[in-house]
Amino acid sequence: MKNTELGFIHRFIPASSKAKQTDLTILLLHGTGGNEEDLIPLGKELASNASILSVRGKVLENGMPRFFRRIKEGVFDLEDLNLRTNELADFILNSSSIYEFDLERIIAVGFSNGANIGASLLLRRPEVLTGAILFRAMVPFISKVLPDLSKKHILLSEGLHDPIISRGEAENLLRLFTKARSEATLEWQDSGHNLVQQDIVASRRWLERNF
Ligand code: MLT
């Protein structure tokens, strides 16, 4: 189903069978220049029996969809990030009542800019996610007050040779989530910013272990 209602262009694909993981919903958040179609094959590969909610970011940077504005690469417009995070969280809440999925069983899967808004959702509106797989994420913003993420499972999958995200940055994000008492894991891939097969292998393993 293609839908422009609920404030975001998105697709919702209901779970296809009653098999294991059927009650899971995967929230797909694309990278800069992507759209709601991009990550659907990845979502299906990660959890073939889960429902999928895939969203298109509303901000355009030279015609490329994103989830929030940035001043330059890696430097975010924090006011816009705050606003867009709340907007996306409200969309997830509304979608859960329209499509009848369980907010206790929703995992964000985000890549790059999508991973960054996923991290921001966890820090600002943790009630809309059960957990997250964040590919190539960075620290979205610094906050003195951290939420209690003690029931959340988070996988960070980062590239050892990523020209955008340093090792220190990825480790800071892990530290932040650990300090917020989540079950956070950081896995390093022998890659740059792009996804590699090992990201998928690690994510499937992590999903099976935790959900
Ligand atoms: C961002 O803007 O979220 C990061 O720089 C990643 C990107 O989208 O390139």
Side-chain angles (χ1 to χ4, degrees), residues 143-193:
S143 160
K144 286 200 186 95
V145 191
L146 286 177
D148 179 4
L149 299 181
S150 50
K151 294 203 185 88
K152 314 287 181 195
H153 293 263
I154 302 165
L155 172 64
L156 306 178
S157 188
E158 305 279 9
L160 278 171
H161 318 291
D162 192 328
I164 300 174
I165 304 166
S166 68
R167 291 197 201 189
E169 175 80 21
E171 278 155 10
N172 282 342
L173 185 57
L174 176 68
R175 220 168 297 148
L176 195 69
F177 284 137
T178 307
K179 213 167 148 197
R181 302 171 57 205
S182 68
E183 300 289 329
T185 315
L186 169 58
E187 295 224 14
W188 287 107
Q189 313 307 342
D190 189 12
S191 74
H193 198 65

Side-chain angles (χ1 to χ4, degrees), residues 61-88:
E61 183 185 274
N62 303 321
M64 296 185 296
R66 284 176 53 82
F67 285 96
F68 57 88
R69 288 201 194 99
R70 64 179 164 183
I71 291 142
K72 59 178 184 178
E73 193 163 86
V75 183
F76 302 151
D77 176 336
L78 296 180
E79 206 178 305
D80 191 60
L81 174 58
N82 183 12
L83 188 142
R84 303 287 173 187
T85 301
N86 281 314
E87 212 173 43
L88 183 59

Side-chain angles (χ1 to χ4, degrees), residues 12-25 44 47-52 105:
F12 181 75
I13 305 170
S16 56
S17 80
K18 295 242 175 292
K20 193 176 169 240
Q21 286 186 351
T22 300
D23 65 336
L24 265 192
T25 298
K44 289 189 169 160
S48 56
N49 296 313
S51 301
I52 288 178
R105 300 277 291 162

Side-chain angles (χ1 to χ4, degrees), residues 89 92-94 96-97 101-106 126-131 152:
I92 298 166
L93 288 178
N94 291 336
S96 82
S97 54
F101 61 79
D102 186 354
L103 281 173
E104 302 288 316
R105 300 277 291 162
I106 173 160
E127 76 276 16
V128 302
L129 293 178
T130 317
K152 314 287 181 195

